[in-house]
């Protein structure tokens, strides 16, 4: 997805549909760039998932995207541990 509005829409739909699955995972493996708007979309999606009692986690960030998450101290909050379920709602 190239734009924040598309990502926001897709995440909102995934969270709404996740009730049966109890979690949403976002694969960032193919993402090579993310700015503050993208980070904001992910943080709002995490909050919406928490409010909906749905687990939310990011998977496979790399390069600059991983570095942004590290600098913002979001790795422990948003990243899924390999082989573990998405973070339970807070």
């Amino acid at each position: 997805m190239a734009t924040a509005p598309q990502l926001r829409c897709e995440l909102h739909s995934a969270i709404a549909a996740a009730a049966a699955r109890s979690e949403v995972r976002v694969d960032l493996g193919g993402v090579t760039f993310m700015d503050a708007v993208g980070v904001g979309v992910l943080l709002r999606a995490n909050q919406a998932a928490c409010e909906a009692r749905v687990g939310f986690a990011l998977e496979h960030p790399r390069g600059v995207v991983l570095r942004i998450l590290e600098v913002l101290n979001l790795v422990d909050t948003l990243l899924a541990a390999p082989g573990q379920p998405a973070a339970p709602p807070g």
Side-chain angles (χ1 to χ4, degrees):
M1 278 170 247
T3 66
Q6 287 175 300
L7 178 60
R8 187 178 303 113
C9 183
E10 291 294 327
L11 288 174
H12 177 74
S13 295
I15 291 165
R21 291 190 315 270
S22 299
E23 69 179 31
V24 171
R25 289 176 175 256
V26 180
D27 185 351
L28 297 177
V31 178
T32 59
F33 174 79
M34 183 180 301
D35 62 7
V37 176
V39 172
V41 168
L42 294 175
L43 288 172
R44 283 188 294 281
N46 183 58
Q47 181 63 37
C50 185
E51 290 170 3
R53 311 272 318 141
V54 171
F56 183 86
L58 306 179
E59 296 182 317
H60 312 119
R62 58 191 175 116
V64 71
V65 175
L66 177 57
R67 183 69 183 132
I68 288 168
L69 296 173
E70 290 170 341
V71 167
L72 295 174
N73 200 30
L74 295 174
V75 171
D76 291 340
T77 303
L78 296 178
L79 235 54
Q84 299 297 314

Coordinates of all heavy atoms in Angstrom, one line a residue:
M1 N 0.8 -1.2 0.0 CA 0.0 0.0 0.0 C 0.9 1.2 0.0 O 1.8 1.3 0.8 CB -0.9 0.0 1.2 CG -2.1 -0.9 1.0 SD -3.0 -1.1 2.5 CE -2.7 -2.8 2.7
A2 N 0.6 2.1 -0.9 CA 1.4 3.3 -1.1 C 1.1 4.5 -0.2 O 1.9 5.3 0.0 CB 1.4 3.7 -2.5
T3 N -0.1 4.5 0.3 CA -0.5 5.7 1.0 C -1.1 5.4 2.4 O -1.7 4.3 2.6 CB -1.6 6.5 0.2 OG1 -2.8 5.8 0.2 CG2 -1.1 6.9 -1.2
A4 N -1.0 6.4 3.3 CA -1.6 6.2 4.6 C -3.1 6.0 4.6 O -3.6 5.2 5.4 CB -1.2 7.4 5.5
P5 N -3.9 6.7 3.8 CA -5.3 6.5 3.8 C -5.7 5.1 3.4 O -6.6 4.5 4.0 CB -5.9 7.5 2.8 CG -4.8 8.6 2.8 CD -3.5 7.9 3.0
Q6 N -5.0 4.5 2.5 CA -5.3 3.1 2.1 C -4.9 2.2 3.2 O -5.7 1.2 3.5 CB -4.5 2.7 0.9 CG -4.9 3.3 -0.4 CD -4.0 2.9 -1.5 OE1 -2.8 3.3 -1.5 NE2 -4.5 2.3 -2.5
L7 N -3.8 2.4 3.9 CA -3.4 1.5 5.0 C -4.4 1.7 6.1 O -4.7 0.7 6.7 CB -1.9 1.9 5.5 CG -1.4 1.2 6.7 CD1 -1.3 -0.3 6.4 CD2 0.0 1.8 7.1
R8 N -4.8 2.9 6.4 CA -5.7 3.1 7.5 C -7.0 2.3 7.2 O -7.5 1.7 8.1 CB -6.0 4.6 7.6 CG -6.9 5.0 8.8 CD -7.1 6.5 8.9 NE -5.8 7.3 9.0 CZ -5.4 8.1 8.0 NH1 -6.1 8.2 6.9 NH2 -4.3 8.7 8.1
C9 N -7.5 2.4 6.0 CA -8.7 1.7 5.6 C -8.6 0.2 5.8 O -9.4 -0.5 6.3 CB -9.1 2.1 4.2 SG -10.7 1.3 3.7
E10 N -7.5 -0.4 5.3 CA -7.2 -1.8 5.4 C -7.1 -2.3 6.8 O -7.6 -3.3 7.2 CB -6.0 -2.2 4.6 CG -6.1 -2.0 3.1 CD -7.1 -3.0 2.5 OE1 -7.2 -4.1 2.9 OE2 -7.8 -2.6 1.5
L11 N -6.4 -1.5 7.6 CA -6.2 -1.9 9.0 C -7.6 -1.8 9.8 O -7.9 -2.7 10.6 CB -5.2 -1.0 9.7 CG -3.7 -1.3 9.3 CD1 -2.8 -0.3 9.9 CD2 -3.3 -2.7 9.6
H12 N -8.4 -0.8 9.5 CA -9.7 -0.7 10.1 C -10.5 -1.9 9.8 O -11.2 -2.5 10.6 CB -10.4 0.6 9.7 CG -11.7 0.8 10.2 ND1 -12.0 1.1 11.5 CD2 -12.9 0.6 9.6 CE1 -13.3 1.1 11.7 NE2 -13.9 0.8 10.6
S13 N -10.5 -2.3 8.5 CA -11.3 -3.5 8.0 C -10.8 -4.7 8.7 O -11.6 -5.6 9.1 CB -11.2 -3.6 6.5 OG -11.8 -2.5 5.9
A14 N -9.5 -4.9 8.8 CA -8.9 -6.1 9.4 C -9.2 -6.2 10.9 O -9.6 -7.3 11.4 CB -7.4 -6.1 9.2
I15 N -9.2 -5.1 11.6 CA -9.5 -5.1 13.0 C -11.0 -5.4 13.2 O -11.4 -6.2 14.1 CB -9.1 -3.7 13.7 CG1 -7.6 -3.6 13.7 CG2 -9.7 -3.6 15.1 CD1 -7.1 -2.2 14.0
A16 N -11.9 -4.8 12.4 CA -13.3 -5.1 12.5 C -13.6 -6.6 12.2 O -14.5 -7.2 12.8 CB -14.1 -4.2 11.5
A17 N -12.8 -7.2 11.3 CA -13.1 -8.6 10.9 C -12.4 -9.6 11.8 O -12.6 -10.8 11.8 CB -12.6 -8.8 9.5
A18 N -11.5 -9.1 12.7 CA -10.6 -9.9 13.5 C -11.3 -10.5 14.7 O -10.7 -11.4 15.4 CB -9.4 -9.2 14.0
A19 N -12.5 -10.2 15.0 CA -13.2 -10.7 16.2 C -13.1 -12.2 16.3 O -12.8 -12.7 17.4 CB -14.6 -10.2 16.3
A20 N -13.3 -12.9 15.2 CA -13.3 -14.3 15.2 C -11.8 -14.9 15.4 O -11.6 -15.9 15.9 CB -13.9 -14.9 13.9
R21 N -10.8 -14.1 14.9 CA -9.4 -14.5 15.0 C -8.7 -14.0 16.2 O -7.7 -14.5 16.6 CB -8.7 -14.1 13.7 CG -9.1 -14.8 12.5 CD -8.1 -14.5 11.3 NE -7.8 -13.1 11.2 CZ -8.4 -12.2 10.5 NH1 -9.5 -12.5 9.8 NH2 -8.0 -10.9 10.4
S22 N -9.2 -13.0 16.8 CA -8.6 -12.3 18.0 C -7.3 -11.6 17.8 O -6.7 -11.2 18.7 CB -8.4 -13.4 19.1 OG -9.7 -13.9 19.4
E23 N -6.8 -11.5 16.5 CA -5.6 -10.8 16.3 C -5.4 -10.3 14.9 O -6.0 -10.9 14.0 CB -4.3 -11.6 16.7 CG -4.0 -12.8 15.8 CD -2.8 -13.5 16.3 OE1 -2.5 -13.5 17.5 OE2 -2.1 -14.1 15.4
V24 N -4.7 -9.3 14.7 CA -4.3 -8.7 13.4 C -2.8 -8.6 13.4 O -2.2 -8.1 14.3 CB -4.9 -7.3 13.1 CG1 -4.4 -6.7 11.9 CG2 -6.4 -7.4 13.1
R25 N -2.2 -9.2 12.3 CA -0.7 -9.1 12.1 C -0.5 -8.3 10.8 O -1.1 -8.6 9.8 CB -0.1 -10.4 12.1 CG -0.1 -11.1 13.5 CD 0.5 -12.5 13.4 NE 0.6 -13.1 14.7 CZ 1.7 -13.2 15.4 NH1 2.8 -12.9 14.8 NH2 1.7 -13.8 16.6
V26 N 0.5 -7.4 10.9 CA 0.8 -6.6 9.7 C 2.2 -6.9 9.3 O 3.2 -6.7 10.0 CB 0.7 -5.1 10.1 CG1 1.1 -4.2 8.9 CG2 -0.7 -4.7 10.6
D27 N 2.4 -7.5 8.1 CA 3.7 -7.9 7.6 C 4.3 -6.7 6.9 O 3.8 -6.2 5.8 CB 3.5 -9.0 6.6 CG 4.8 -9.6 6.0 OD1 5.9 -9.0 6.3 OD2 4.7 -10.6 5.4
L28 N 5.4 -6.2 7.5 CA 6.1 -5.1 6.9 C 7.3 -5.5 6.1 O 8.2 -4.6 5.8 CB 6.6 -4.1 8.1 CG 5.4 -3.5 8.9 CD1 6.0 -2.7 10.1 CD2 4.5 -2.7 8.0
G29 N 7.5 -6.7 5.8 CA 8.6 -7.2 5.1 C 8.9 -6.5 3.8 O 10.1 -6.4 3.4
G30 N 7.9 -6.1 3.1 CA 8.1 -5.4 1.8 C 8.1 -3.9 1.9 O 8.2 -3.2 0.9
V31 N 8.0 -3.4 3.1 CA 8.0 -1.9 3.3 C 9.4 -1.4 3.4 O 10.2 -1.8 4.2 CB 7.2 -1.5 4.5 CG1 7.2 0.0 4.7 CG2 5.8 -2.1 4.4
T32 N 9.8 -0.5 2.5 CA 11.1 0.1 2.5 C 11.2 1.5 3.0 O 12.3 2.1 3.2 CB 11.7 0.1 1.0 OG1 10.8 0.8 0.2 CG2 11.8 -1.4 0.5
F33 N 10.0 2.1 3.2 CA 10.0 3.5 3.7 C 8.8 3.7 4.6 O 7.7 3.2 4.3 CB 9.9 4.5 2.5 CG 9.8 5.9 3.0 CD1 10.8 6.7 3.5 CD2 8.5 6.5 2.9 CE1 10.7 8.0 3.9 CE2 8.3 7.8 3.3 CZ 9.4 8.6 3.8
M34 N 8.9 4.5 5.6 CA 7.8 4.8 6.5 C 8.1 6.2 7.1 O 9.2 6.3 7.7 CB 7.5 3.8 7.5 CG 6.3 4.1 8.4 SD 6.0 2.9 9.7 CE 5.8 1.4 8.7
D35 N 7.1 7.1 7.0 CA 7.3 8.4 7.7 C 6.4 8.5 8.9 O 5.8 7.5 9.3 CB 7.1 9.5 6.7 CG 5.7 9.6 6.2 OD1 4.8 8.8 6.6 OD2 5.4 10.4 5.2
A36 N 6.4 9.7 9.5 CA 5.6 9.9 10.7 C 4.1 9.6 10.5 O 3.5 9.1 11.4 CB 5.8 11.3 11.2
V37 N 3.6 9.8 9.3 CA 2.2 9.6 9.0 C 1.9 8.1 9.1 O 1.0 7.6 9.7 CB 1.8 10.1 7.7 CG1 0.3 9.8 7.3 CG2 1.9 11.7 7.7
G38 N 2.8 7.3 8.5 CA 2.7 5.8 8.6 C 2.8 5.3 10.0 O 2.0 4.4 10.4
V39 N 3.7 5.8 10.8 CA 3.8 5.4 12.2 C 2.6 5.7 12.9 O 2.0 5.0 13.7 CB 5.1 6.0 12.8 CG1 5.1 5.8 14.3 CG2 6.4 5.5 12.2
G40 N 2.0 6.9 12.6 CA 0.8 7.3 13.3 C -0.4 6.4 13.0 O -1.2 6.1 13.8
V41 N -0.5 6.0 11.7 CA -1.5 5.1 11.3 C -1.4 3.8 12.1 O -2.4 3.2 12.6 CB -1.5 4.8 9.8 CG1 -2.4 3.6 9.4 CG2 -1.9 6.0 9.0
L42 N -0.2 3.3 12.2 CA 0.0 2.0 12.9 C -0.3 2.2 14.4 O -0.9 1.3 15.0 CB 1.5 1.5 12.8 CG 1.9 1.1 11.4 CD1 3.3 0.8 11.3 CD2 1.0 -0.1 10.9
L43 N 0.1 3.3 15.0 CA -0.2 3.5 16.4 C -1.7 3.7 16.6 O -2.3 3.1 17.6 CB 0.5 4.8 16.9 CG 2.0 4.6 17.1 CD1 2.6 5.9 17.4 CD2 2.3 3.6 18.2
R44 N -2.4 4.3 15.7 CA -3.9 4.4 15.9 C -4.6 3.1 15.7 O -5.5 2.8 16.3 CB -4.4 5.5 14.9 CG -4.2 6.9 15.4 CD -4.9 8.0 14.6 NE -4.4 8.1 13.2 CZ -3.3 8.7 12.8 NH1 -2.5 9.3 13.8 NH2 -2.9 8.8 11.6
A45 N -4.0 2.3 14.7 CA -4.6 0.9 14.5 C -4.4 0.1 15.8 O -5.2 -0.7 16.2 CB -3.9 0.3 13.3
N46 N -3.2 0.2 16.4 CA -2.9 -0.5 17.6 C -3.9 -0.1 18.7 O -4.5 -1.0 19.4 CB -1.5 -0.2 18.1 CG -1.1 -1.0 19.3 OD1 -1.2 -2.2 19.4 ND2 -0.7 -0.3 20.4
Q47 N -4.2 1.2 18.8 CA -5.2 1.7 19.8 C -6.6 1.1 19.5 O -7.3 0.7 20.4 CB -5.2 3.2 19.9 CG -6.2 3.8 20.9 CD -5.8 3.4 22.3 OE1 -4.7 3.3 22.7 NE2 -6.8 3.1 23.1
A48 N -7.0 1.2 18.2 CA -8.3 0.7 17.8 C -8.4 -0.8 18.1 O -9.5 -1.3 18.6 CB -8.5 1.0 16.3
A49 N -7.3 -1.6 17.9 CA -7.4 -3.0 18.2 C -7.5 -3.2 19.7 O -8.3 -4.1 20.1 CB -6.1 -3.7 17.6
C50 N -6.8 -2.5 20.4 CA -6.9 -2.6 21.9 C -8.3 -2.3 22.4 O -8.9 -3.1 23.2 CB -5.9 -1.6 22.5 SG -5.8 -1.8 24.3
E51 N -8.9 -1.3 21.8 CA -10.3 -0.9 22.2 C -11.3 -2.0 21.8 O -12.3 -2.2 22.4 CB -10.7 0.4 21.6 CG -10.0 1.6 22.2 CD -10.1 2.9 21.5 OE1 -10.9 2.9 20.5 OE2 -9.5 3.9 21.9
A52 N -11.0 -2.7 20.7 CA -11.8 -3.8 20.2 C -11.5 -5.1 20.8 O -12.1 -6.1 20.4 CB -11.7 -3.9 18.6
R53 N -10.5 -5.1 21.7 CA -10.0 -6.3 22.4 C -9.5 -7.3 21.4 O -9.7 -8.5 21.4 CB -11.1 -7.0 23.2 CG -11.9 -6.0 24.1 CD -11.3 -5.8 25.5 NE -10.9 -6.9 26.2 CZ -9.8 -6.9 27.0 NH1 -9.1 -5.8 27.1 NH2 -9.4 -7.9 27.7
V54 N -8.7 -6.8 20.4 CA -8.1 -7.6 19.3 C -6.6 -7.4 19.5 O -6.1 -6.3 19.6 CB -8.6 -7.2 17.9 CG1 -7.8 -7.8 16.8 CG2 -10.0 -7.4 17.8
G55 N -5.8 -8.5 19.4 CA -4.3 -8.4 19.4 C -3.9 -7.8 18.2 O -4.5 -7.9 17.1
F56 N -2.7 -7.0 18.3 CA -2.2 -6.3 17.1 C -0.7 -6.4 17.2 O -0.1 -6.2 18.2 CB -2.6 -4.8 17.2 CG -2.2 -4.0 16.0 CD1 -2.9 -4.0 14.8 CD2 -1.0 -3.3 16.0 CE1 -2.5 -3.2 13.7 CE2 -0.6 -2.5 15.0 CZ -1.4 -2.5 13.8
A57 N -0.1 -6.8 16.0 CA 1.4 -6.9 16.0 C 1.9 -6.7 14.6 O 1.3 -7.0 13.6 CB 1.8 -8.2 16.5
L58 N 3.1 -6.1 14.6 CA 3.9 -5.9 13.3 C 4.8 -7.1 13.2 O 5.4 -7.6 14.2 CB 4.6 -4.6 13.3 CG 3.8 -3.4 13.6 CD1 4.7 -2.1 13.6 CD2 2.7 -3.2 12.6
E59 N 5.0 -7.5 11.9 CA 6.0 -8.6 11.6 C 7.0 -8.2 10.5 O 6.6 -7.4 9.6 CB 5.2 -9.9 11.2 CG 4.3 -10.5 12.2 CD 3.7 -11.7 11.7 OE1 3.2 -11.8 10.6 OE2 3.6 -12.7 12.5
H60 N 8.2 -8.7 10.6 CA 9.2 -8.6 9.6 C 9.6 -7.2 9.2 O 10.0 -7.0 8.0 CB 8.8 -9.4 8.3 CG 8.3 -10.7 8.6 ND1 7.0 -11.1 8.3 CD2 8.8 -11.8 9.2 CE1 6.8 -12.4 8.7 NE2 7.9 -12.8 9.3
P61 N 9.6 -6.2 10.1 CA 10.2 -4.9 9.6 C 11.7 -5.1 9.4 O 12.3 -5.9 10.1 CB 9.9 -4.0 10.8 CG 9.9 -4.9 12.0 CD 9.3 -6.2 11.5
R62 N 12.2 -4.3 8.5 CA 13.6 -4.4 8.2 C 14.2 -3.0 7.8 O 13.4 -2.1 7.5 CB 13.9 -5.5 7.2 CG 13.2 -5.2 5.9 CD 13.3 -6.4 4.9 NE 12.5 -6.1 3.8 CZ 13.0 -6.0 2.6 NH1 14.3 -6.2 2.3 NH2 12.2 -5.7 1.6
G63 N 15.5 -2.9 7.8 CA 16.1 -1.7 7.3 C 15.6 -0.5 8.1 O 15.5 -0.5 9.3
V64 N 15.4 0.5 7.3 CA 15.0 1.8 7.9 C 13.7 1.8 8.7 O 13.5 2.5 9.7 CB 14.9 2.9 6.8 CG1 13.8 2.7 5.9 CG2 14.9 4.3 7.4
V65 N 12.8 0.9 8.3 CA 11.5 0.8 9.0 C 11.8 0.2 10.4 O 11.2 0.8 11.4 CB 10.5 -0.1 8.2 CG1 9.2 -0.3 9.0 CG2 10.2 0.5 6.9
L66 N 12.6 -0.8 10.5 CA 12.9 -1.3 11.8 C 13.7 -0.3 12.6 O 13.4 -0.1 13.8 CB 13.8 -2.6 11.7 CG 14.3 -3.2 13.0 CD1 13.1 -3.6 13.9 CD2 15.2 -4.4 12.7
R67 N 14.5 0.5 12.0 CA 15.3 1.5 12.7 C 14.4 2.6 13.3 O 14.5 3.0 14.4 CB 16.4 2.1 11.8 CG 17.2 3.1 12.5 CD 18.1 2.5 13.5 NE 18.9 3.5 14.2 CZ 19.0 3.6 15.5 NH1 18.5 2.7 16.3 NH2 19.7 4.6 16.1
I68 N 13.4 3.0 12.5 CA 12.4 4.0 13.0 C 11.7 3.4 14.2 O 11.5 4.1 15.2 CB 11.4 4.3 11.8 CG1 12.1 5.2 10.8 CG2 10.2 5.0 12.4 CD1 11.3 5.3 9.5
L69 N 11.2 2.2 14.2 CA 10.5 1.6 15.3 C 11.4 1.5 16.5 O 11.0 1.7 17.6 CB 10.0 0.2 14.9 CG 8.9 0.2 13.8 CD1 8.6 -1.3 13.5 CD2 7.7 0.9 14.3
E70 N 12.7 1.2 16.3 CA 13.7 1.2 17.4 C 13.9 2.6 18.0 O 13.9 2.7 19.2 CB 15.0 0.6 16.9 CG 15.0 -0.8 16.6 CD 16.2 -1.3 15.9 OE1 17.0 -0.5 15.3 OE2 16.4 -2.6 15.9
V71 N 14.1 3.6 17.2 CA 14.3 4.9 17.6 C 13.1 5.5 18.4 O 13.3 6.2 19.4 CB 14.7 5.9 16.4 CG1 14.6 7.3 16.8 CG2 16.0 5.5 15.9
L72 N 11.9 5.1 18.0 CA 10.7 5.6 18.7 C 10.3 4.7 19.8 O 9.3 4.9 20.5 CB 9.6 5.6 17.7 CG 9.8 6.7 16.6 CD1 8.6 6.6 15.5 CD2 9.8 8.1 17.1
N73 N 11.2 3.7 20.1 CA 11.0 2.8 21.2 C 9.6 2.0 21.1 O 8.9 1.9 22.1 CB 11.1 3.5 22.6 CG 11.3 2.6 23.7 OD1 11.9 1.5 23.5 ND2 10.8 2.9 24.9
L74 N 9.3 1.6 19.9 CA 8.0 0.9 19.6 C 8.2 -0.6 19.4 O 7.2 -1.3 19.2 CB 7.3 1.5 18.4 CG 6.9 3.0 18.6 CD1 6.3 3.5 17.3 CD2 5.9 3.1 19.7
V75 N 9.4 -1.1 19.4 CA 9.6 -2.5 19.1 C 8.9 -3.4 20.1 O 8.2 -4.3 19.7 CB 11.1 -2.8 19.1 CG1 11.4 -4.3 19.0 CG2 11.8 -2.1 17.9
D76 N 9.1 -3.2 21.4 CA 8.4 -4.0 22.4 C 6.9 -3.8 22.4 O 6.1 -4.8 22.7 CB 8.9 -3.7 23.8 CG 10.3 -4.1 24.0 OD1 10.8 -5.0 23.3 OD2 11.0 -3.6 24.9
T77 N 6.4 -2.7 22.0 CA 5.0 -2.4 21.9 C 4.3 -3.0 20.7 O 3.2 -3.6 20.8 CB 4.7 -0.9 21.9 OG1 5.3 -0.3 23.1 CG2 3.2 -0.6 21.9
L78 N 4.9 -2.9 19.6 CA 4.2 -3.3 18.3 C 4.7 -4.5 17.6 O 4.0 -5.1 16.8 CB 4.3 -2.1 17.3 CG 3.6 -0.8 17.7 CD1 3.8 0.2 16.7 CD2 2.1 -1.1 18.0
L79 N 5.9 -5.0 17.9 CA 6.5 -6.1 17.2 C 6.1 -7.5 17.8 O 6.1 -7.6 19.0 CB 8.0 -6.1 17.2 CG 8.7 -6.1 15.8 CD1 8.2 -5.0 14.9 CD2 10.2 -6.0 16.0
A80 N 5.7 -8.4 16.9 CA 5.3 -9.7 17.4 C 6.6 -10.5 17.6 O 7.5 -10.5 16.8 CB 4.5 -10.4 16.3
A81 N 6.7 -11.3 18.7 CA 7.8 -12.2 18.9 C 7.6 -13.4 18.0 O 6.5 -13.9 17.8 CB 7.8 -12.6 20.3
P82 N 8.6 -13.9 17.3 CA 8.5 -15.0 16.4 C 7.8 -16.2 17.1 O 8.2 -16.6 18.2 CB 9.9 -15.3 16.0 CG 10.7 -14.1 16.2 CD 10.0 -13.4 17.4
G83 N 6.8 -16.7 16.5 CA 6.1 -17.9 17.0 C 5.1 -17.6 18.1 O 4.5 -18.5 18.7
Q84 N 5.0 -16.4 18.5 CA 4.1 -16.0 19.6 C 2.8 -15.3 19.0 O 2.9 -14.7 18.0 CB 4.8 -15.1 20.6 CG 6.0 -15.7 21.2 CD 5.6 -16.9 22.1 OE1 4.7 -16.8 22.8 NE2 6.4 -18.0 21.9
P85 N 1.8 -15.4 19.8 CA 0.6 -14.6 19.3 C 0.8 -13.1 19.4 O 1.7 -12.7 20.1 CB -0.5 -15.1 20.3 CG 0.2 -15.7 21.5 CD 1.6 -16.1 21.0
A86 N 0.0 -12.4 18.7 CA 0.0 -10.9 18.8 C -0.2 -10.5 20.2 O -0.9 -11.2 21.0 CB -1.0 -10.3 17.8
A87 N 0.3 -9.3 20.6 CA 0.1 -8.8 21.9 C -1.3 -8.8 22.3 O -2.2 -8.3 21.5 CB 0.7 -7.5 22.0
P88 N -1.7 -9.3 23.5 CA -3.1 -9.3 23.9 C -3.5 -7.8 24.1 O -2.7 -7.0 24.5 CB -3.1 -10.1 25.2 CG -1.7 -10.0 25.7 CD -0.8 -9.9 24.5
P89 N -4.8 -7.6 24.0 CA -5.2 -6.2 24.2 C -5.0 -5.8 25.6 O -5.1 -6.6 26.5 CB -6.8 -6.3 23.9 CG -7.0 -7.7 23.4 CD -5.8 -8.5 23.6
G90 N -4.6 -4.5 25.8 CA -4.2 -4.0 27.0 C -5.2 -3.8 28.0 O -5.1 -3.6 29.1

